[in-house]
Amino acid sequence: MNEEQVIADTRAWVDKAVIGLNLCPFAKQVQVKGQVRYVVSQATKVEDLLYELANELNRLVDTPPDETDTTLLIHPQVLTDFLDYNDFLEAADALVADIGLEGVLQVASFHPQYQFEGTAPDDITNYSNRSPYPTLHLLREESIDRAVAAFPEAESIFEANMDTLEKLGIEGWQKLGLKP
């Protein structure tokens, strides 16, 4: 797996989908400022990924936000099956608590096969959380709080994303040059 290509694919997804479609109105500012850390895991086992996740969580909390505000831990060789990945998220949240970072950092989830409960696998609304590779997004709680305070109707983001994606459709997504 070519690490540079994995990062390039992920950056393109952030730029074209996350920012370009405004799926996350808070992403542009940190991307433009270079405050997003992109890390490609070489893990092939869940245990190794948990170890890397712990390291990245600690690194993020020890780094000033103006240097790195958020981290994308991309792991293309492990948890490629969405159901396994989804099960892993409990372990990721438990790790955050175990290392004393609950309420400080949180982990958001993105996966090429992401599927919301109650949707069909090919439902376009799943694409709001579909990334080129399995990815754990490490976020600072204080950054989320600031962003939500600056965006008075943050709860409307999810509905707006669903509307955007439904209007775009699978064909529109493909025109962005992104993997379905």
Side-chain angles (χ1 to χ4, degrees), residues 83-104:
L83 295 178
D84 293 339
Y85 172 84
N86 202 40
D87 290 343
F88 173 83
L89 296 174
E90 278 186 42
D93 289 340
L95 176 64
V96 171
D98 290 347
I99 61 177
L101 296 176
E102 193 169 32
V104 178

Side-chain angles (χ1 to χ4, degrees), residues 114-115 118-127 130 162 166 170:
Y114 200 96
Q115 184 177 349
T119 64
D122 61 348
D123 189 318
I124 187 64
T125 60
N126 292 319
Y127 285 63
R130 287 203 177 168
M162 298 306 107
E166 286 171 355
I170 299 286

